[in-house]
Amino acid sequence: MSTSDSASLSAIQKVFEEALSDQRIRPFKGMGPERGDLKDKWRVFFTASCQCGIASLMYIEISKDKGMEKITKVAPNLLKSISLQVDRFFQMPCEQHAKMSMRPPI
């Protein structure tokens, strides 16, 4: 991989933010570098929130040996898989969301 094609977590996040077309999904950078920078992979996180207040957290793993050109090329297809996960999340009833929640009920 050439230096000009080297990937960084922030550069990868930007590629996915620019390729994101599903309005239900938002980039999520709150996991911190310790979650997004693994030994051999990058993780890019996304979230989608239901009207009931429960949010789903999803991520894409990118091998660190992939260059930016390849990442940019496959980003739309990878985001389609996130959209499918969001479809399934929104198909669940809010009662199921509440059961999956990591926070205590109010």
Side-chain angles (χ1 to χ4, degrees), residues 18-88:
E18 291 173 357
L20 187 59
S21 62
D22 190 330
Q23 298 297 313
R24 305 170 302 168
I25 302 169
R26 291 180 315 280
F28 185 76
K29 297 179 183 173
M31 296 304 283
E34 65 278 359
R35 299 271 189 208
D37 184 8
L38 303 174
K39 182 178 178 181
D40 59 348
K41 296 176 185 161
W42 303 107
R43 282 188 179 166
V44 181
F45 292 91
F46 303 91
T47 187
S49 298
C50 180
Q51 64 187 14
C52 69
I54 303 297
S56 175
L57 181 67
M58 298 136 300
Y59 64 89
I60 294 172
E61 286 187 347
I62 305 289
S63 175
K64 286 187 177 180
D65 66 359
K66 303 296 181 203
M68 288 304 297
E69 183 178 332
K70 175 128 180 149
I71 293 168
T72 302
K73 184 177 179 179
V74 301
N77 284 333
L78 293 173
L79 287 168
K80 285 180 187 176
S81 70
I82 295 293
S83 287
L84 291 173
Q85 290 178 44
V86 171
D87 289 344
R88 289 190 293 274

